Amino acid sequence: KRAIDLAIEEINSAGGFIVGNDTIRFDTIAYDDKADPTEATNVARKLIDRDGVKFLLGYCCSASTGAVASFIGREDVIMLVGTAGARAITAAGNKNVFRTRPPGDYTGAAAGNFIAAQGVKKLGVLAVRDNTLFVQYRDEMLKAFKAAGGEVVAVETFGGHDRDMTAQLTKLRGLQPDALFISGYVEQAAFSHRQAHELGIGVPRYGFSGGSPEQFLKVATNEQMEGAWDLLSIEFNAEVLGPVAQAFEQRYKTKYGEPPSPNSAFAYDQVYVLRDALRAAGTTTDLKKIREAIANLPVPSEALLKYLPIDGKMFDGKGQAYIANGAFQWEKGAWRFRTELPSDPKGYSEYLKTIRN
C-alpha cells in the first residue's frame, strides 16, 4: 500500500495525466483483507457494490487473492495483482485479471537447475507446507533438480505459524545432505537459518523467501545468515536494478523512514500500468477498451523491475507478466546479487495456456 500511495502521489503532484480531454488524478479507497479469503471476498464486494470502484490494485497473499479472482471474471472491474504468486490466479484466464509478479513455479525450475549446477548431489528440504506459492515453487525446483541428476534425501515441512524447526533440521542433519533448501515467509525462513546454524549444519543453504536484510536480522544474526542463498525473481533491489530503482528507494526512505520491502515494486508498477492503459484507451469508463489497452501495453518507462516482455507486451494472453530470476547470497549483512538465472518466459507462457489452475 505504501508503494501504491507513493506512485499515486508522484502522478498527482505532477498535475495528473491527460485522458481524452480530461486531466485525471488518482484517488484510493483502501481496506485490509487480513490475508483471509473470506475477508478478502467481503472487502472486494464492498469496493465493487458500495464504493463503485472499477479498478482493484494491491493483493499480497495467494489465498485471499485467489478467493477474489475466483469470481472477479464475472464483474465489471479490472483487477491488478501484485505479490500473490499462486499459479491459478492467472491460469484461470479471466480477461480482467493482470499480475505483475510471476508465478512461483516459473522461478522454481530455474532455482533447481542452479542448485544442481553448484555441484549439489544430495539435497535436504525444509519448507512451509500450507502456502500455494511456496509449494508450487518447491515442486518445480525439486523436479528440475532431480532431472539434473540430483537426489532429495527428505522433504520436511512446517506450518504457517511454526517457529521451531529444530526437529526437522535434526532429522535432515542425520541424513547428511550436501546442501539444504529452506523456503517460507521471511520470519520462518530466518528462524530456520538461525536454527540450522545453531545445530552446526555446515552445508550450503539455499532458499526462497524474498525477505529484506532488515527483516531477517530481526530474527537471525549476520553470522547465522552468512553465505545463505535466496533464489527468486529479481524483486526490488536498487543496486541491481539501477538509477530508476535507486531514485525510488530514496523517495521511499524519505517518506516512510525505512527502505522498501523487496516486493513493493510489484505494487508500485501497477499504478503506472493503470495510468498508461487509461492514456492509451482514451477513456476512464470503457473497461473493455482499458482491458485491451493493458493487454497490449509495453512496459511503462517508470517501471522499477526488469520485465521480460513477450512480443513487446508486458502481459501475456493470460494477463501474466514476467521478470528476470536471480541468485542472491548473504554477505556481511546484505543480500548480494551473484548472477541472473536462465529464465524462459515465453516457454512458461505457452505452458500456462494449457492449464486452468
Side-chain angles (χ1 to χ4, degrees):
K1 183 180 182 301
R2 285 180 172 184
I4 288 172
D5 289 343
L6 184 56
I8 288 174
E9 180 182 287
E10 292 167 0
I11 291 169
N12 289 350
S13 64
F17 57 100
I18 303 300
V19 177
N21 295 319
D22 299 321
T23 299
I24 303 299
R25 290 179 175 82
F26 284 128
D27 193 11
T28 58
I29 301 172
Y31 300 112
D32 182 2
D33 69 13
K34 301 177 184 177
D36 177 78
T38 301
E39 185 67 16
T41 300
N42 293 338
V43 163
R45 290 260 56 102
K46 189 185 300 184
L47 286 166
I48 296 167
D49 300 333
R50 190 188 73 179
D51 300 322
V53 167
K54 294 297 183 183
F55 307 102
L56 304 180
L57 283 75
Y59 291 100
C60 175
C61 301
S62 291
S64 54
T65 306
V68 178
S70 68
F71 69 81
I72 209 70
R74 301 187 297 272
E75 301 293 332
D76 194 27
V77 298
I78 289 173
M79 180 179 181
L80 289 164
V81 178
T83 68
R87 184 178 56 216
I89 292 167
T90 47
N94 291 322
K95 297 297 184 183
N96 58 343
V97 176
F98 299 88
R99 177 166 56 183
T100 44
R101 185 211 178 109
D105 54 343
Y106 161 75
T107 304
N113 288 324
F114 176 78
I115 295 171
Q118 303 312 296
V120 176
K121 300 298 183 183
K122 298 171 62 178
L123 184 67
V125 176
L126 177 63
V128 67
R129 61 175 168 267
D130 49 7
N131 180 283
T132 304
L133 165 63
F134 289 104
V135 170
Q136 290 178 349
Y137 175 109
R138 182 196 70 201
D139 289 349
E140 287 301 310
M141 183 278 294
L142 293 178
K143 181 179 176 182
F145 177 72
K146 291 176 182 177
E151 174 192 352
V152 178
V153 299
V155 176
E156 292 293 307
T157 64
F158 52 83
H161 298 287
D162 293 349
R163 297 297 180 269
D164 184 0
M165 292 71 165
T166 53
Q168 297 96 315
L169 286 164
T170 299
K171 178 180 176 180
L172 290 170
R173 181 181 63 182
L175 296 172
Q176 299 183 327
D178 299 334
L180 290 183
F181 177 84
I182 296 170
S183 68
Y185 283 123
V186 180
E187 188 179 22
Q188 297 169 316
F191 271 111
S192 298
H193 282 290
R194 179 174 117 184
Q195 291 157 9
H197 184 272
E198 290 170 346
L199 288 168
I201 301 176
V203 300
R205 285 174 272 135
Y206 300 90
F208 170 57
S209 70
S212 68
E214 292 80 10
Q215 290 172 312
F216 271 93
L217 290 173
K218 289 179 181 178
V219 173
T221 66
N222 279 328
E223 181 183 4
Q224 291 164 344
M225 290 300 302
E226 190 68 22
W229 293 84
D230 208 7
L231 310 176
L232 69 165
S233 299
I234 301 177
E235 299 178 333
F236 184 75
N237 184 299
E239 180 182 355
V240 177
L241 295 173
V244 173
Q246 290 162 10
F248 164 78
E249 182 177 54
Q250 188 56 53
R251 293 193 302 273
Y252 192 101
K253 285 180 178 178
T254 299
K255 184 172 179 64
Y256 299 116
E258 60 185 32
S261 62
N263 57 22
S264 61
F266 292 119
Y268 179 89
D269 290 350
Q270 290 178 337
V271 180
Y272 284 100
V273 166
L274 181 57
R275 183 205 63 182
D276 283 6
L278 295 174
R279 281 174 166 173
T283 176
T284 60
T285 57
D286 189 333
L287 292 188
K288 182 178 180 181
K289 286 185 177 179
I290 297 167
R291 187 182 69 209
E292 291 173 352
I294 297 176
N296 291 287
L297 199 69
V299 178
S301 60
E302 294 88 350
L304 300 176
L305 299 174
K306 183 180 179 181
Y307 292 95
L308 304 176
I310 296 177
D311 299 326
K313 300 173 184 178
M314 179 172 177
F315 299 97
D316 69 8
K318 287 285 188 82
Q320 180 62 61
Y322 301 92
I323 62 176
N325 295 310
F328 295 82
Q329 190 174 30
W330 190 282
E331 180 186 4
K332 298 178 181 177
W335 291 115
R336 305 295 183 188
F337 177 70
R338 297 307 190 204
T339 186
E340 190 169 311
L341 304 182
S343 305
D344 185 14
K346 198 158 189 174
Y348 187 91
S349 180
E350 289 299 317
Y351 161 69
L352 200 61
K353 292 177 183 178
T354 68
I355 58 177
R356 291 191 59 83
N357 53 53

